[in-house]
Amino acid sequence: MLELRGVSKHYTAPDGDRVRAVDGVSLTLRDHELLALYGPSGSGKTTLLLLAAGLTRPDAGTVCFDGHDLARLSRRDAARHRLTTVGFVFQTLRLVPGLTAIDNAALKLMAAGATRREARREVAPLLERLGIGGRADQPAAELSVGERQRVAIARALSNGPRLVLADEPTGSLDSRRASEVLALLAAIAAERSIAIAIVTHDPAAAASATRALRLHDGHLEPLAAGAAAEAVEPPAVVPAPLGERG
Amino acid sequence: MRLRNLLFLYSRRVLTHPLQELLAVLGIAVGVALVFAVQVANTSVAGSVSQLVHGVSGAASLQVAARGPEGLDDGVVGTIARLPGVRIAAPVIEVRATVSGPRGARGVTVLGGDRRLVSLNGPLLKQFALPGLRLPQAIALPQPVAHAIGVPIGGEATIATGAEPVRAPVLGVLGRDQIGSLVASPIVLAPLDYAQRFADLRGRVSSVLVEAAPGAEASVRASLVRLLGDRANVGSSDREAQLVRQATSPNNQSTALFAAISGVVGLLFAFNAMLLTVPERRRFIAALRTEGLGDGTVVRLVLFDGLVLGVVASLVGLVLGDQLSRHVFHATPGYLSFAFPIGGQRIVDWQSVAIAFGGGVLATLVAALRPLSDLASRRPLDSALRTEDREEDATIPSRWALGGGLLLTAAAAAIPLFAPGAMIVGIALLVGGMLLLTPRLLAAALAVADVLARRVRSAVLLVSLGELRSSTTRSLALAVTGALAVFGSVAVEGSHLDLQRGLDRDAHHLNAQADIWIAPAGDDNTLATTPFRPTVAARLSSVPGIAAVRDYRGGFLDVGDRRVWVLAPPRADPTPVFASQVVDGDVATAQRRLRAGGWVAVSQAIASDLHVRVGDPVTLPTAVPTRLRVAAVLTNLGWTSGAIVLNATDYAHAWGSDAVSAIQVLLDPGTAAAAAVPRVRAAIGPGSGLLVQTAAEREARFRTLSRQGLDRLTQISTLLLVAAALALAAAMGGVVWSRRPRLATLKLSGFSDGAVWRALVVESAIVLGIGCSIGAVFGLCGQFMLTRWLQRSTGFPTSYSAAGWLALATFVGVSFVAVMIAALPGWIAARVPLTTSFQQD
Ligand SMILES: Nc1ncnc2c1ncn2[C@@H]1O[C@H](COP(=O)(O)OP(=O)(O)O)[C@@H](O)[C@H]1O
Ligand SMILES: [Mg+2]
């Protein structure tokens, strides 16, 4: 379904240096698959997910979905691809502060043309399953970080995507909650036959995953399921106070 | 996305940041209100005269009007009536007068007519059929005039047209139900022969209204011109309305320009207020776009946003403007009522509404489109993603802005030198240049402040500067708001002062030519335009201390579509024109020629209308058409339609009358004017209707009246300052409040409440100080250009002098007030609980 071939992405840092955030990565993701992606901070995990979603274009290599090169889609088709096919959970969550939890979760469906009522009815069970049904009418700004993460997950799943990309979605959850969410994602991957890739620092994630990979300086390395623990670093708290980001 | 969803998202966005949205609404509303109120005031002046003219002329489409106050021989009425194709020829007496009663006096136009006027069927004319007006000696007044002077039906009012006042019984008080909105017109109705008698116009008429048979209008007009074209003005019956439109247009132009500048500044305030919400709106749109919202929907979302804001704010602006025009701009420009019967009607036409409302909505849309620039970037989603990490997108001053700013400023500076006609464009370029240069100037000033701060080793200062540099968009928005506020105030108020100085200088020159002036009383006669028989002059010879008594003449003359002010100083006057009045021609030569006779000096606008230059011959359309030569070209001497200066002897010849409009008294050296005035009054005797004034008293009256003409400009510049203070206060408040999480972070790192507060105050002082000083410098340039524009396009006398003190005072005042205002929310915000630092932005 998703195929990355020799994909590279470079940035120019403020001091003028070139940063090879992702460097010649090839990767294939199939239906039913749940990929766990590990790697130290700054290794290019977020960039890789953005590339896979078609949210940013590679400097080299191709990203194909169902055989179509995402870089060649028209703006309109690219937007429709994001709207109907992909669900993305951002590391910074990107909730709209003025909206309630359920309206934030329903935003994508509203963007797709549903009425607010329809969209809310659609996402309410998802919020229940994620354990935040009781907080549905709370303004996003008043939710805890863990609750916000689950709202973002609900939004990513709301449109029935075929590919879900989640950037550290469980970073702020306690281990019991984290494994519940992971189990839920695994179950959804299985029941809807969709592909899911999550970036995580949680060694337990590798257990629910069908595959685990490690990113290092923009390069992809295979990771034996049992070796997950040593690849893991302390989780980054998001958003970090005082600007000291991981 | 569905409309209802757009509405829902919009309402949520507004509710999260009500203050910023309110600020934007306020900014736009102030702009729209000013433009609307000025439009209404401007249309009302010309419109009220138009209404009166139509109320009088009724079915008559043609008019034969006398060229001077002496009128036409009333024999012409019969002659006109006998012309083929004429249905009705109705004689009219129309004279300016002062009507007074126990409660006060009012300047009015006396309309005298008889049953022939009634048959023209104008709404006002029907009143001549009133039973009272069939009596030989009675007058009718509109209700507000009767009320103002305190005379009821059956009472007696005093009417003074020139010299001897008469007491006339009031037998009709006209209400709104009889004459509609004309009730607000300053008029007195009288039977024709009665008006002829008390206006000293026996056997004369001011004009004849002519109704032609259907289809015969052209031929009637032609025969009227053949018959009377050399002695009288033959034209359409709404000539008066055209004249007043012309007379008000330069003033309207300048108030409209000032209003437009204020409107633009108001809209820029709004733009800035919206700039404060831009980071948040961009983040919102970026979130939707990464979720897959298409470009079309994003455009609709943004347009919707702007449209709602624009419509709501413009509606508020219309309501505000309506109130403004009722309570602040309601005074009719007094000086115009010397020459025109201007009423108090408030006339709102659809054009005024459309211009103000449409302009407001359009400008808001343009301002609201800022987030759309993200769509245009080459790598569209990258920009959407970039907004994710940072609190806002730092608008680093680009080289493009610097270059553009310098270019615009240079172009603006070149305009007075090479294309003075395009001064308005120059002012726009100047504002554009200022806006583009402000980011660079701000960055440079901050860098300098940074270097200084390192020497001072003040943690508070360092923190303030750090905050300023890390939130460029907000600092910039504040600096630009300050700059605009000071720019607008300095440019508008500065050139207003230049104009006032020019008018005051003229007023002084004109009045200082005699020690004492004697002229018919009444405010309407401030310009000495009412003629009277100079019989009293002889009585002055025996008064001690008088060195000379001279005749001064003056009046109004219709030249083309202008009602021109005529000044005819006595030949003995050594300075009939002054250097500061002369635009073209040698002053000494002009003075010599005017005194010698056969020469005339005319305002620029008249000269260009008649296509004449210094030395050219010109024939004035006076009662006795007279050929003179142009001695000099002048400013308009403060009279919008322009002025003509010739000597009093030439005047008497051209008007065919030896009436004077003032007597100038020169005193012996050593005799004080104030001491001589009572002696002069005694010599003239009571009941003459003449007012005796010293030059200083008369100059003071001139000043009061010219101030009245400029009232609206004063009001506009004051409102601009108030709007600026409000905009800055709200902007500062908004910025400080949204900064609370970061303030809490500062406190976590060990800063005390007091230190955080001081950092906030220092921060606002720095950014506003920089912005306001930029505005002050550019404002002085703007003042220069605006003054030049006023002089060129309206012909007003101006006297430019850089308003340095004004700039300094505005700069200090605005920054001080804004910092004071910021200190309050700052004080509250400084007490932010520490836990706030954990909240998401
Ligand atoms: N928009 C950007 N501009 C410049 N450098 C970037 C940008 N995004 C990421 N980087 C850099 O690319 C590298 C990889 O970043 P990222 O993909 O966010 O890593 P991870 O998610 O693994 O922490 C880092 O060195 C980061 O600083
Ligand atoms: Mg990351």
Side-chain angles (χ1 to χ4, degrees), chain A residues 41-42 44-47 91 167-168 199 245:
Chain A
S41 118
K45 306 180 296 290
T46 299
T47 307
Q91 200 168 1
D167 199 354
E168 305 195 23
V199 167
R245 302 217 350 253

Side-chain angles (χ1 to χ4, degrees), chain B residues 776-795:
Chain B
V777 172
F778 277 83
L780 287 175
C781 307
Q783 179 211 350
F784 174 74
M785 300 180 83
L786 207 53
T787 299
R788 291 281 300 269
W789 178 82
L790 280 173
Q791 156 105 62
R792 262 189 73 93
S793 70
T794 66

Side-chain angles (χ1 to χ4, degrees), chain B residues 468-485:
Chain B
L468 282 175
R469 306 184 101 184
S470 70
S471 57
T472 2
T473 307
R474 283 174 186 170
S475 316
L476 195 58
L478 284 178
V480 166
T481 308
L484 280 171

Side-chain angles (χ1 to χ4, degrees), chain B residues 91-165:
Chain B
V92 180
I93 286 284
E94 188 181 342
V95 283
R96 310 285 302 142
T98 304
V99 57
S100 51
R103 216 182 287 155
R106 276 304 270 301
V108 293
T109 295
V110 173
L111 288 171
D114 59 15
R115 297 209 49 98
R116 281 170 284 183
L117 258 186
V118 179
S119 51
L120 288 173
N121 222 11
L124 192 59
L125 305 177
K126 291 185 209 126
Q127 307 310 321
F128 282 99
L130 284 178
L133 287 183
R134 276 188 240 133
L135 294 177
Q137 298 198 353
I139 58 171
L141 307 170
Q143 199 274 328
V145 174
H147 180 79
I149 64 172
V151 176
I153 284 200
E156 256 189 352
T158 305
I159 298 185
T161 50
E164 265 105 277

Side-chain angles (χ1 to χ4, degrees), chain B residues 549-617:
Chain B
V549 175
R550 300 168 176 171
D551 291 345
Y552 172 95
R553 299 198 165 89
F556 291 107
L557 176 68
D558 293 349
V559 180
D561 61 352
R562 299 172 177 276
R563 183 155 288 177
V564 169
W565 178 26
V566 184
L567 299 86
R571 290 181 76 154
D573 187 338
T575 47
V577 290
F578 302 89
S580 63
Q581 298 170 333
V582 174
V583 177
D584 193 13
D586 176 64
V587 183
T589 317
Q591 287 173 342
R592 191 163 35 76
R593 287 174 166 171
L594 286 170
R595 293 179 61 197
W599 293 79
V600 64
V602 300
S603 291
Q604 216 166 5
I606 303 170
S608 67
D609 271 11
L610 301 176
H611 308 289
V612 292
R613 292 204 216 142
V614 174
D616 290 351

Side-chain angles (χ1 to χ4, degrees), chain B residues 732 760-770 815 819:
Chain B
M732 293 298 308
L760 275 175
V761 172
V762 169
E763 199 184 313
S764 16
I766 292 175
V767 71
L768 286 171
I770 295 171
S815 20
V819 170

